[in-house]
Amino acid sequence: MASETEILQSLIAATSAPPGAPGWAELLRLLAETTRAGTVALRLEQAGRPVAAWHHGAPPPALEETDKMRLGRVYAQGDLPGLMTRRAPLRALRAPAGPGGTALLWLARPEGAEDFRAIDAVQLSTLAPYLGAALTGWQAAEAARARAAQEQALARALGAAWILFSAGGQILDRAPGLEDLLTGTGIRLGSDGRLHLPEEATAQALRAALARSAPGAPPALLVLSDAPRLEMRITAPSDGPR
């Protein structure tokens, strides 16, 4: 059974989980294990419309009139708006999630099952102050990843890519597909983490340009290959490696 700390850690991990990682599914699994719920569901809404949803276990029961739920309150099946006649055990929470957004989290058991314990509602109450902020952060990270993917696709279509160098010329990071741009130029990415140029004069010019680059300095333009034509624009970020 997961502790309160483990559940909060799982919530934090879900905020920045990369695609393919357990993320929210793991949080819901822990909640189901801890509360012995047959279903745990989570939904993010913007302006009353669902934009993302997850669930663990059996398909979740529908929640009606959720706009009437008070923020931060944990509801039972007998006092949920629109579910006054529901007999199956259920606990639900609605929390704010950024401007115009709300998070809905609910636990359910089949009809005839033992009702939830008081401690199970406490588990939801514990998440209430953090759930909306975590989902808002996750949504921002997803949007940033989508923008980055679009920018990379556009760069590839234009025949461009980026490399992040240290001041000493070590490659710290690079765009996916960079190798395709180097085809036919004689330039290669070395196993030592450096860019190897066939002409020593060009290699020296690259080293000199990296050494001279500084925040606020004008960018340097270097021709790495004439046929096929390949140019490099060297600029330094405001701080850190370049």
Side-chain angles (χ1 to χ4, degrees):
M1 183 176 296
S3 67
E4 181 179 304
T5 299
E6 289 172 324
I7 290 174
L8 288 175
Q9 287 174 340
S10 180
L11 175 68
I12 294 169
T15 304
S16 56
W24 298 106
E26 175 62 11
L27 171 66
L28 301 188
R29 186 195 68 78
L30 288 176
L31 282 172
E33 175 188 282
T34 303
T35 62
R36 296 177 294 174
T39 298
V40 182
L42 175 63
R43 188 167 77 215
L44 174 63
E45 295 182 348
Q46 292 289 342
R49 297 183 178 182
V51 296
W54 305 264
H55 83 273
H56 175 86
L63 291 186
E64 303 172 14
E65 303 178 34
T66 56
D67 58 314
K68 296 181 180 179
M69 295 172 62
R70 293 211 311 264
L71 297 175
R73 173 184 168 182
V74 177
Y75 285 81
Q77 65 274 12
D79 52 14
L80 263 168
L83 290 180
M84 298 297 290
T85 60
R86 183 180 175 85
R87 294 188 297 272
L90 191 145
R91 296 292 184 273
L93 167 74
R94 181 172 179 251
T102 55
L104 291 166
L105 177 63
W106 67 106
L107 318 174
R109 289 178 180 168
E111 188 170 340
E114 181 184 356
D115 201 358
F116 288 99
R117 303 163 298 172
I119 189 65
D120 298 327
V122 172
Q123 292 286 357
L124 295 191
S125 296
T126 300
L127 290 174
Y130 314 106
L131 185 61
L135 280 166
T136 302
W138 169 84
Q139 193 175 26
E142 286 289 289
R145 280 192 283 263
R147 286 194 300 270
Q150 288 179 333
E151 290 169 358
Q152 289 175 5
L154 179 61
R156 286 195 296 269
L158 295 173
W162 56 267
I163 306 176
L164 181 63
F165 289 103
S166 70
Q170 195 83 11
I171 296 175
L172 303 177
D173 200 1
R174 65 179 191 268
L178 174 64
E179 293 85 346
D180 296 338
L181 289 181
L182 302 182
T183 302
T185 64
I187 303 170
R188 62 183 179 86
L189 299 170
S191 58
D192 57 355
R194 293 181 178 275
L195 195 65
H196 291 270
L197 305 172
E199 300 292 336
E200 179 57 29
T202 308
Q204 290 180 358
L206 174 59
R207 289 193 292 269
L210 290 173
R212 287 194 305 269
S213 64
L221 185 63
L222 188 64
V223 177
L224 300 183
S225 172
D226 286 313
R229 183 76 173 184
L230 185 63
E231 299 177 352
M232 177 178 284
R233 184 176 182 271
I234 301 171
T235 186
S238 57
D239 53 26
R242 52 188 180 274

